[in-house]
Amino acid sequence: MFLSICSIILYVFTGPYGVFFGHPANYGNTIFTLAVSYLFFSDRSKYNIKVSLILLLLGLLCARSKYIAEFVVFIYLIFICKGRVQFNVRYLITISFVAYLIFILIASKLSLYVAGVEDGQARTILYFLMPSLLLDYFPFGSGLASYATWFSGVYYSPLYGLYNIDHVYGITEDYYDFIADAFFPALTEIGVVGILVFFKFWVRRYRNSIRKLKNGNNLFQYKLLLIIISYYFIESIAAPTFVTNYGILPVIILALLENDCYDSKNNSLLLVRGK
């Protein structure tokens, strides 16, 4: 709570691109992580749920499309969803409505990425070339530090010249600040095999949450796990959050939610397994 209040005050007084956060997305990630952490380590009382909601509402000051999408998912899972998410007609209609609402809220931002505006052009092109690279370097990919990662800019990858995108703003050898501005294009480095393993990891996380739900664990635990999974997938569309310091704490909470050392009934961590 203290860290959240400090973050909000610093953001308001230093500005979205101030010396402390440097970028509004960093503020949004900070508030989201702190709010989810607060909810995880507290009891599930209405008071604590409201506190987390207030923190997330103040996080909307970042005005980032990804954060808005994550906020909508949080609202849906915590306040609207009454049980396990199922793929029947009722849930598909509800999820479609939620997805449409998210699209309306972030449509202007998406248009920047697709329209070829300078700071969105690099990300769009890196996505566009993914299928070609996956086919050309089937099945194990182009190799590490070769495409859409920061070190593919530091040690400038020959692939950018080979595919004639080394002139694109943010992908040039002299200015590669937008070369790692999304996570999913980086999966090209590990190819089709790596992508299958990557998605298998997340499918396993979801199946484990369902298994624990069937074993009588708290429904809230299941919802919190879905919120974190959604957070990573939304962030990865247009940010490398999954491999940054902001991605550490949510994945630790994800591990604790799955691990037997977390007692969902008493909302506490167990020092000794089974006790």
Side-chain angles (χ1 to χ4, degrees):
M1 177 65 74
F2 175 75
L3 290 173
S4 299
I5 294 171
C6 289
S7 298
I8 293 163
I9 292 172
L10 283 166
Y11 186 76
V12 170
F13 284 95
T14 62
Y17 293 95
V19 294
F20 190 80
F21 287 105
H23 195 281
N26 296 333
Y27 167 75
N29 280 316
T30 299
I31 293 298
F32 182 88
T33 301
L34 291 172
V36 171
S37 300
Y38 177 87
L39 196 58
F40 173 75
F41 286 107
S42 65
D43 58 31
R44 309 302 186 242
S45 66
K46 291 182 179 179
Y47 170 80
N48 286 320
I49 293 174
K50 289 178 180 177
V51 169
S52 296
L53 177 60
I54 291 170
L55 293 177
L56 288 171
L57 281 168
L58 292 171
L60 289 171
L61 290 170
C62 72
R64 306 301 292 176
S65 56
K66 298 187 297 293
Y67 186 90
I68 294 171
E70 291 152 13
F71 179 78
V72 172
V73 170
F74 180 90
I75 294 295
Y76 170 71
L77 288 172
I78 298 299
F79 295 100
I80 299 175
C81 183
K82 301 300 182 183
R84 172 187 163 188
V85 175
Q86 300 177 3
F87 296 99
N88 54 34
V89 175
R90 174 173 165 267
Y91 268 94
L92 286 175
I93 292 173
T94 305
I95 293 172
S96 298
F97 175 77
V98 173
Y100 180 67
L101 177 61
I102 292 173
F103 175 78
I104 292 173
L105 293 171
I106 67 174
S108 60
K109 189 68 174 180
L110 286 174
S111 66
L112 287 177
Y113 298 152
V114 178
V117 178
E118 281 189 341
D119 61 351
Q121 187 179 13
R123 191 183 289 125
T124 304
I125 289 173
L126 290 171
Y127 269 108
F128 182 76
L129 277 178
M130 274 188 72
S132 298
L133 268 79
L134 289 173
L135 287 173
D136 292 344
Y137 295 94
F138 183 85
F140 297 110
S142 57
L144 300 180
S146 64
Y147 188 77
T149 53
W150 183 252
F151 282 103
S152 71
V154 175
Y155 305 98
Y156 200 70
S157 172
L159 288 183
Y160 300 123
L162 184 63
Y163 286 85
N164 196 31
I165 61 171
D166 55 346
H167 64 282
V168 176
Y169 180 79
I171 310 183
T172 64
E173 189 169 0
D174 296 330
Y175 184 74
Y176 49 84
D177 284 25
F178 299 121
I179 210 165
D181 218 19
F183 175 73
F184 287 129
L187 294 175
T188 304
E189 293 187 343
I190 56 177
V192 173
V193 172
I195 290 173
L196 290 175
V197 173
F198 175 78
F199 280 99
K200 182 179 180 180
F201 169 85
W202 288 107
V203 169
R204 179 97 177 254
R205 305 284 72 76
Y206 179 70
R207 287 180 175 174
N208 284 351
S209 70
I210 295 175
R211 176 176 55 81
K212 284 183 171 290
L213 187 63
K214 289 180 178 179
N215 290 341
N217 279 282
N218 200 321
L219 175 63
F220 204 94
Q221 182 181 355
Y222 166 78
K223 290 183 177 182
L224 199 58
L225 191 143
L226 285 187
I227 288 170
I228 294 174
I229 293 176
S230 301
Y231 166 75
Y232 280 117
F233 271 83
I234 293 170
E235 282 289 321
S236 295
I237 293 172
T241 307
F242 184 70
V243 290
T244 65
N245 53 342
Y246 284 105
I248 294 173
L249 191 53
V251 86
I252 290 174
I253 294 175
L254 185 71
L256 291 171
L257 284 168
E258 285 199 19
N259 201 286
D260 291 337
C261 71
Y262 180 69
D263 184 357
S264 62
K265 293 182 180 178
N266 298 319
N267 306 310
S268 61
L269 301 177
L270 305 179
L271 296 180
V272 181
R273 186 186 177 111
K275 296 184 180 180

